Structure formats: C-alpha cells, structure tokens
Amino acid sequence: MKPFLLTFDIEEFDWPAERGRPLSPTAEMDVTEEGTGHVLQLLARHGTLATFFITAAFARARPERVRAIVEAGHEAAVHGLAHSDDYGTMDAAVALERLRESRAVIEAISARPARGVRTPRLRPCAPTVLRDAGFVYDASPHPTWVPGRYNGLTWPRRPWREAGVVRIPISVLPLIRVPVSWIWYRTAGPCAGIIAAGAACLGAPYLHVYFHAWEAVDIRPLGIPRIFALRTGASFLRALDPLLAWASTRMVPMTVGEFVRGLGQ
C-alpha cells in the first residue's frame, strides 16, 4: 500500500485582507486556531497522522495549539515566518534569515526538530536557501498551473533531490495535472474527490494532499467569494471524513517526515 501524506497549512487567515476586507490580527489567528481544533478532533477519531506546516507568526500567537499538534503525535513543520512572505522574490539573504528564524520558532515551541518546510502560497524558493536554513525536505512543489500564483507544469510528480533538499510534490492527476487538494477537493465533493485522489496515485509513489485548518471554519461571512468558501466549516469536515476513512483502508497514513526518513534522509 502506498503512503498517504495528509498535510495542513496553519497560518494567519489573510484571505479577507487580499480582498480589501482585512480582519484584525487577532481575528486572523482566531479563525485558524478554531479550525485547527476541529481538524485535530477529526484526525483523532480516525487515528490518522498528519503534517502541519505552521507559520512562526501563528506559533508565537497561539503556542498552545502547536503543542497540541505534537502531543497528538503529528509533525510540526515550517510554513515561513509570516504568510505574507515570498521567499522567491525577496533577497536570498533576507529569505534565509527569515526561514532560519521561523524554523527556530517552531522548534522552540514544539520541542521537536522541524525538518520540513512548505512556503507560503506554495511560491517557489531556491533549494539552496532552504538547505542553508536547515531543512531536509520541501513540500511546496505543486505540479500544476494556478493563474497568478505559480506554474509547475514541468515539475515531476515524484520526489526528487535538488541542492541537498528532497522535494515532495503535492499530488495532481496524471497527464492533465488537475489538483486534487483543498479548494479542488471541496468543489468536487467527497465522492468525485476520492476518485480523483485515487487516480492521482497512478504513476506516483504516494498520495500527498494539502488543506488549510481555516477551511474547517465557515468563512462565508468574512468577505470570501462564494466559490472559495464552498463547503467550509462543518461541510469541510464532513467531506474530509470519507477521505480519511478511504485512505485508512487502502493506504498507509504517515507524516511527510516519516516518508522522507524512509528515503534515507
């Protein structure tokens, strides 16, 4: 059976700010903290392990949630210093400093090594910078095209090593490269989403999907367009439930760190 790599991004909920309706810094953290609690309860019911990529900003604001994640047996990894960071466009020395700081924050609060990183909004970062910041793996590559975000259509669907860092691409459908994670899974619904997830395993050594903890909160009242807020809150948790049940019988749930260790890293 192939590994099931379930991952969640834990970050400031800054989507309303992108749309001109910013929340207060406290409210941004509140949304993600609430969603994280719901996600942890769902994972506990299924006995499923996950990897949480956490911004240092959230960890500093809500350290008790970070500790709850690792106490439940999950992996705490790094999602950057702040969710607004773009490590591909900023000066390499600045990116390195901010990534080193973010890793130190997550390790200090979780009391665990932080071996992995996922960059905010999956924006590319030079693997040499990630290596020098002390990361073993990068779970950012998404081999698809998202207008205005990134174009990874030429990236492989299997892990590869680059500049001493193991790149762990997020799963997409073969050939047509359609994503099977977060908003795409929510839009398709659990039945079609699970079929797509199974198809994404073809020609790949695992299923690697990602979501956001704030998706477990109903974000419709917060200025988010309807299409992006579809099936958030309780609907999101109900949609995830059959995915976890399906994966538990057909795959081997594990953290990304465990998978990378299996590669000898």
Side-chain angles (χ1 to χ4, degrees):
M1 293 192 291
K2 293 183 178 181
F4 175 49
L5 310 181
L6 175 64
T7 67
F8 293 91
D9 293 353
I10 309 295
E11 64 206 24
E12 310 88 282
F13 180 57
D14 54 4
W15 260 35
E18 288 188 19
R19 287 153 181 80
R21 298 181 62 177
L23 304 177
S24 69
T26 298
E28 287 186 346
M29 300 300 180
D30 286 344
V31 173
T32 294
E33 181 176 22
E34 178 184 347
T36 302
H38 295 320
V39 167
L40 287 173
Q41 290 175 358
L42 178 65
L43 296 178
R45 288 201 299 273
H46 285 273
T48 299
L49 292 179
T51 300
F52 290 78
F53 293 93
I54 309 166
T55 65
F58 179 85
R60 282 170 165 156
R62 306 297 161 89
E64 67 285 348
R65 276 298 186 208
V66 177
R67 297 187 188 104
I69 287 169
V70 296
E71 287 169 3
H74 305 295
E75 178 184 8
V78 174
H79 198 35
L81 195 63
H83 197 240
S84 57
D85 282 358
D86 184 344
Y87 301 115
T89 59
M90 69 175 58
D91 182 82
V94 176
L96 176 58
E97 180 182 359
R98 292 179 71 82
L99 284 166
R100 280 177 172 166
E101 181 180 349
S102 62
R103 180 167 169 257
V105 169
I106 299 303
E107 290 186 336
I109 293 173
S110 69
R112 302 284 195 284
R115 304 175 75 239
V117 63
R118 172 175 290 153
T119 53
R121 295 183 174 87
L122 309 182
R123 288 170 174 152
C125 178
T128 51
V129 173
L130 301 179
R131 177 200 64 202
D132 292 346
F135 295 111
V136 174
Y137 74 83
D138 171 27
S140 310
H142 199 188
T144 188
W145 175 55
V146 178
R149 295 294 193 189
Y150 49 82
N151 185 350
L153 289 174
T154 62
W155 295 338
R157 296 172 56 242
R158 304 177 65 90
W160 76 95
R161 290 177 174 83
E162 189 174 357
V165 175
V166 181
R167 314 296 291 274
I168 308 293
I170 297 164
S171 295
V172 296
L173 289 177
L175 300 179
I176 58 175
R177 299 296 186 100
V178 172
V180 298
S181 294
W182 77 289
I183 193 169
W184 296 274
Y185 181 87
R186 284 196 283 111
T187 302
C191 183
I194 290 171
I195 293 172
C201 295
L202 299 174
Y206 53 54
L207 175 63
H208 177 195
V209 293
Y210 84 102
F211 300 95
H212 305 83
W214 50 256
E215 292 180 80
V217 176
D218 185 355
I219 60 173
R220 289 175 298 177
L222 301 177
I224 302 300
R226 179 179 175 82
I227 183 61
F228 297 129
L230 182 68
R231 295 195 180 99
T232 55
S235 296
F236 171 69
L237 296 168
R238 287 194 296 270
L240 265 192
D241 192 79
L243 175 64
L244 301 191
W246 171 84
S248 68
T249 61
R250 291 167 176 81
M251 310 193 80
V252 182
M254 64 177 65
T255 67
V256 182
E258 287 177 310
F259 174 76
V260 171
R261 280 192 293 273
L263 299 176
Q265 298 294 312

